[in-house]
Structure formats: C-alpha cells, structure tokens
Amino acid sequence: MYNPLSQKLAMITPETLIVGVDVAKHTHYAQMINFRGEGL
C-alpha cells in the first residue's frame, strides 16, 4: 500500500533538524526539534 506519511517519517534520521515556523501572525515564531521530538 502507498503511504507517503510513513515514507516521510522513514527519512528522519539523527542528523535531521525539523523547524516549524508560524508565518500567519504579525510576530513570527519558530521551534526546532531533533529527531526524537526534543526541543532545542
């Protein structure tokens, strides 16, 4: 079965840095987490 979400999750390695940015607000916020979901 084709599952793009599982393929994307499989690409996350210990070298991966995930950055989420809220661009819909007047003040922009960003959060960085490592592959374990721990905030940096």
Side-chain angles (χ1 to χ4, degrees), residues 17-38:
L17 177 65
I18 302 167
V19 179
V21 179
D22 179 5
V23 296
K25 306 285 183 188
H26 180 69
T27 303
H28 304 299
Y29 294 97
Q31 180 180 16
M32 296 180 292
I33 61 173
N34 64 12
F35 76 103
R36 291 187 177 120
E38 301 166 334

